[in-house]
């Protein structure tokens, strides 16, 4: 027996040379923690699976599918409906000349009248616009004019800007600008007007 071996401790506790016996018990705390974490994860997965089954068999899956279907498909009557536009005869146009060319307002008014528009005042532009309108012209009217009259009158003249004022009458001003040359041809204007009133194409795919 080695001199380092305590009295009464022989056998496997016997110290030989520079090797010493391990006196502490093996640790089991790590195994317990791993087992506890595994149990928590398993319970969580079981609970999640139960909720999924309840959602599917309780109709939740159908409601989600219906919601997605409703989101992707337009409501009936909101897509493809033709835009309600006033007829040219329902639009009274005041034609004003803001260019240096004499007689321009009258010639444009006469042509618009041939195309079915009602003509109001004809003459030179007010001072605030006279020779101050860049481009082909300005369509000027009440805010309500933006919901139809501007669109219809705009088919007769390319590049006309739109502007609203505080008037409470339905008439619309056409103020001819410095680069104005002529109205669109009657054929082109009719084609643009027909396209404007044409229903939008229905979205592809089944709804």
């Amino acid at each position: 027996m080695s001199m380092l071996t305590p009295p009464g401790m022989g056998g496997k506790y016997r110290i030989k040379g520079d090797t010493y016996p391990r006196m502490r018990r093996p640790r089991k705390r790590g195994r317990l923690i791993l087992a506890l974490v595994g149990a928590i994860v398993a319970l969580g997965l079981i609970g999640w699976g139960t909720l999924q089954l309840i959602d599917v068999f309780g109709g939740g899956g159908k409601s989600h599918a219906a919601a997605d279907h409703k989101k992707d498909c337009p409501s009936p009557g909101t897509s493809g409906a033709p835009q309600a536009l006033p007829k040219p005869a329902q639009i009274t146009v005041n034609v004003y000349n803001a260019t240096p060319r004499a007689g321009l307002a009258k010639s444009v008014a006469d042509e618009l009248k041939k195309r079915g528009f009602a003509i109001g005042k004809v003459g030179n532009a007010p001072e605030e616009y006279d020779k101050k309108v860049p481009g082909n012209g300005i369509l000027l009217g009440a805010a309500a004019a933006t919901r139809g009259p501007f669109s219809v009158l705009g088919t007769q003249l390319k590049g006309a800007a739109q502007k609203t004022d505080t008037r409470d009458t339905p008439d619309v001003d056409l103020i001819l600008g410095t680069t104005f040359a002529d109205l669109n041809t009657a054929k082109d204007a009719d084609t643009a007007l027909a396209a404007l009133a044409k229903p939008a194409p229905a979205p592809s795919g089944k709804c």
Side-chain angles (χ1 to χ4, degrees):
M1 179 180 299
S2 170
M3 296 180 64
L4 298 176
T5 302
M9 296 184 65
K12 64 180 179 179
Y13 298 106
R14 182 176 181 181
I15 299 174
K16 299 177 180 180
D18 57 354
T19 302
Y20 297 89
R22 300 175 65 88
M23 303 297 292
R24 59 188 177 185
R25 298 179 180 178
R27 295 182 179 179
K28 296 183 179 181
R29 183 177 300 175
R31 295 180 181 178
L32 290 175
I33 293 175
L34 290 176
L36 181 60
V37 171
I40 293 174
V41 172
L43 289 174
L45 291 174
I46 292 172
W48 179 82
T50 302
L51 290 175
Q52 294 300 311
L53 290 174
I54 293 174
D55 187 52
V56 171
F57 290 102
K62 294 181 180 179
S63 64
H64 290 313
D68 292 339
H69 179 77
K70 186 175 182 181
K71 183 188 299 182
D72 294 337
C73 295
S75 300
T78 60
S79 178
Q83 182 181 359
L85 297 171
K87 297 182 181 301
Q90 297 174 307
I91 304 173
T92 298
V93 184
N94 305 313
V95 184
Y96 296 112
N97 182 11
T99 77
R101 289 177 286 168
L104 188 60
K106 186 179 185 307
S107 63
V108 171
D110 290 344
E111 182 60 29
L112 288 176
K113 186 175 182 179
K114 291 179 183 179
R115 299 182 185 186
F117 289 89
I119 302 300
K121 299 176 182 179
V122 179
N124 293 325
E127 184 179 355
E128 61 181 310
Y129 292 106
D130 190 24
K131 301 178 182 62
K132 301 174 183 176
V133 178
N136 283 346
I138 294 177
L139 305 182
L140 180 64
T146 62
R147 297 187 292 273
F150 278 178
S151 299
V152 174
L153 184 55
T155 61
Q156 312 299 312
L157 175 65
K158 293 181 180 178
Q162 298 182 6
K163 186 176 180 180
T164 60
D165 55 19
T166 59
R167 75 181 69 186
D168 56 3
T169 55
D171 58 316
V172 176
D173 297 346
L174 170 56
I175 305 175
L176 304 173
T178 55
T179 63
F180 175 82
D182 202 352
L183 295 173
N184 297 341
T185 64
K187 182 179 179 180
D188 289 344
D190 289 343
T191 301
L193 188 58
L196 190 65
K198 186 178 179 180
S204 60
K206 296 181 179 180
C207 292

